[in-house]
Amino acid sequence: MQLVKVKDGLLELDNFLTTSPIEDFLGNGEYHRTPDKFVLRSGEIERKIDYDEFLIIVDKEATELSPDDRFEFYLSDGTNKAGIEEIYNTEYAKYWKLIYHDGYIQGYKSNDSKIWFNVGGIKSNKPKYQGFKTKGKELTINNYRVYRGPYLTIQNFYPGTLVKLLDLDGNLIKERVFSNNNECNIFLDYPIGGTLEFYNQLGELIYKSNPMFFSYGDVFMFTEYNLQLFYKGQLLTHKTTTLYSLIETVTLRNNSDETYSNINISINNLNDDEITISKDNNNFYESFIIEEIRPKEEIEIYIKIIKDRSTLFRMNDFTIEIS
């Protein structure tokens, strides 16, 4: 049994504010940007946001405001907006955090990105826009990141199991219990390097992970198989790998000393491309069974992609799932 990362929590690899084309911004705001800063000089600016749930972290300059100054960081459904505001004689935080989860918007402020103070929340429809507004002084943003949500998720373990998140010095940070759907969600105050310990209902330690880095929105899963996938000699992980053509081959390797039987290989495809796999490069299916794979054995898996005509020039994601 081993714990593997299956999804990275970061939804946007790049800083949207410093890398997106100018046509992606809405509003009347006057701004300028460099490769590592976004400065809103005046007015209001928005971007479209289309995630069911998410968390946004903003690293900004903690600017002291006068009575006529105001900063806003908000989410909007097109009619109403909610978020964080800074005005004269309030705490001027360096970090802002907005979470949209389970139909609620929650706002947080921090000066060190570890200890957060909740500044309020409100029930909301799914946001369509995320915006900034300034009156008076310039709002300088040093970094901007969008994640899946505030939770570290662990899947595929026994209900009732207690999991403890410890930092690298062995200090207990959080602990939670696996629910009946074999899943556990740990609310992260900040990304952290550490380990996970798992205890049965008798309080006995049954598994301890290697030191890892855990971030907002990351998803880990327990698997009983020690299998690896390779593409052109590169080990595939949770990180996205770009295929060079529409017909490709990946290699499944049994990295254990055990023989595995009845391994299901399938495609998880959320776009309109037709993606199928094969054991023999002749007969292609959405899934198939590998009857047996011996220790250190390698098996070729053939992938065929037929692009949807409406997305010929777009790269779409899919995953190969092993169960």
Side-chain angles (χ1 to χ4, degrees):
M1 180 177 290
Q2 61 176 338
L3 184 67
V4 296
K5 187 174 181 179
V6 294
K7 284 185 181 178
D8 193 279
L10 199 61
L11 285 173
E12 298 176 354
L13 297 180
D14 296 319
N15 182 337
F16 183 94
L17 297 181
T18 57
T19 60
S20 292
I22 190 171
E23 56 266 25
D24 287 346
F25 294 98
L26 309 170
N28 62 357
E30 179 187 354
Y31 68 91
H32 75 271
R33 56 184 180 171
T34 67
D36 58 358
K37 287 185 186 294
F38 180 93
V39 181
L40 181 60
R41 289 171 168 161
S42 63
E44 186 172 14
I45 198 162
E46 293 183 336
R47 60 160 293 188
K48 291 182 179 180
I49 195 155
D50 189 23
Y51 303 116
D52 291 333
E53 295 190 339
F54 55 88
L55 175 153
I56 303 176
I57 295 280
V58 170
D59 172 355
K60 70 176 187 67
E61 297 294 331
T63 305
E64 186 172 346
L65 304 180
S66 70
D68 295 327
D69 299 328
R70 176 189 295 268
F71 291 159
E72 294 181 22
F73 168 42
Y74 64 86
L75 298 171
S76 168
D77 63 6
T79 303
N80 303 301
K81 66 180 183 180
I84 300 169
E85 70 171 15
E86 285 187 2
I87 57 176
Y88 173 68
N89 209 23
T90 61
E91 183 177 357
Y92 310 124
K94 178 166 173 52
Y95 298 94
W96 286 336
K97 180 196 293 184
L98 281 181
I99 298 172
Y100 180 67
H101 174 74
D102 199 23
Y104 282 85
I105 296 172
Q106 292 284 342
Y108 298 83
K109 297 168 71 172
S110 174
N111 283 315
D112 62 4
S113 75
K114 291 188 175 181
I115 299 174
W116 293 90
F117 299 94
N118 190 313
V119 296
I122 189 172
K123 189 171 180 60
S124 172
N125 296 323
K126 177 182 172 181
K128 297 179 180 178
Y129 306 98
Q130 185 273 303
F132 296 96
K133 185 175 182 179
T134 183
K135 177 186 176 185
K137 287 190 170 65
E138 293 182 343
L139 171 59
T140 300
I141 298 171
N142 301 316
N143 204 356
Y144 175 95
R145 288 287 181 259
V146 183
Y147 298 86
R148 295 181 188 276
Y151 293 96
L152 165 65
T153 299
I154 309 160
Q155 300 174 334
N156 201 31
F157 212 65
Y158 311 115
T161 301
L162 174 68
V163 57
K164 296 183 179 183
L165 171 62
L166 298 93
D167 65 18
L168 293 175
D169 294 323
N171 300 308
L172 178 65
I173 305 300
K174 295 278 180 78
E175 59 182 32
R176 294 292 183 272
V177 174
F178 275 82
S179 62
N180 289 332
N181 66 353
N182 304 94
E183 185 172 288
C184 177
N185 293 292
I186 301 174
F187 187 93
L188 290 182
D189 296 306
Y190 52 90
I192 184 174
T195 60
L196 293 170
E197 293 183 350
F198 298 80
Y199 294 82
N200 64 20
Q201 296 184 43
L202 298 176
E204 299 167 331
L205 178 66
I206 53 178
Y207 183 89
K208 182 176 180 178
S209 76
N210 294 323
M212 297 179 176
F213 186 77
F214 306 107
S215 188
Y216 301 116
D218 284 351
V219 180
F220 287 78
M221 178 181 288
F222 271 98
T223 175
E224 59 185 295
Y225 305 117
N226 188 359
L227 298 170
Q228 295 177 322
L229 273 177
F230 292 87
Y231 174 61
K232 297 188 180 300
Q234 175 187 351
L235 176 64
L236 301 181
T237 67
H238 63 279
K239 296 182 179 179
T240 299
T241 298
T242 302
L243 301 182
Y244 293 117
S245 69
L246 299 180
I247 300 177
E248 286 290 358
T249 305
V250 295
T251 302
L252 178 68
R253 185 176 193 270
N254 182 353
N255 203 42
S256 76
D257 296 323
E258 302 178 45
T259 295
Y260 298 132
S261 301
N262 299 318
I263 304 298
N264 184 66
I265 310 295
S266 61
I267 292 291
N268 182 4
N269 177 26
L270 299 180
N271 58 71
D272 294 325
D273 296 342
E274 180 183 328
I275 303 175
T276 51
I277 50 179
S278 171
K279 290 186 286 187
D280 58 14
N281 204 21
N282 290 315
N283 302 299
F284 284 81
Y285 309 95
E286 291 183 355
S287 66
F288 61 75
I289 299 291
I290 294 177
E291 289 78 12
E292 182 180 273
I293 180 168
R294 296 183 300 276
K296 313 309 177 188
E297 182 181 2
E298 295 184 351
I299 294 177
E300 301 295 300
I301 298 173
Y302 302 90
I303 304 171
K304 181 167 66 175
I305 303 171
I306 300 176
K307 293 286 293 178
D308 177 62
R309 288 186 176 273
S310 65
T311 61
L312 283 176
F313 300 102
R314 182 190 306 165
M315 287 195 297
N316 293 323
D317 289 341
F318 70 93
T319 56
I320 297 176
E321 297 187 344
I322 302 170
S323 60

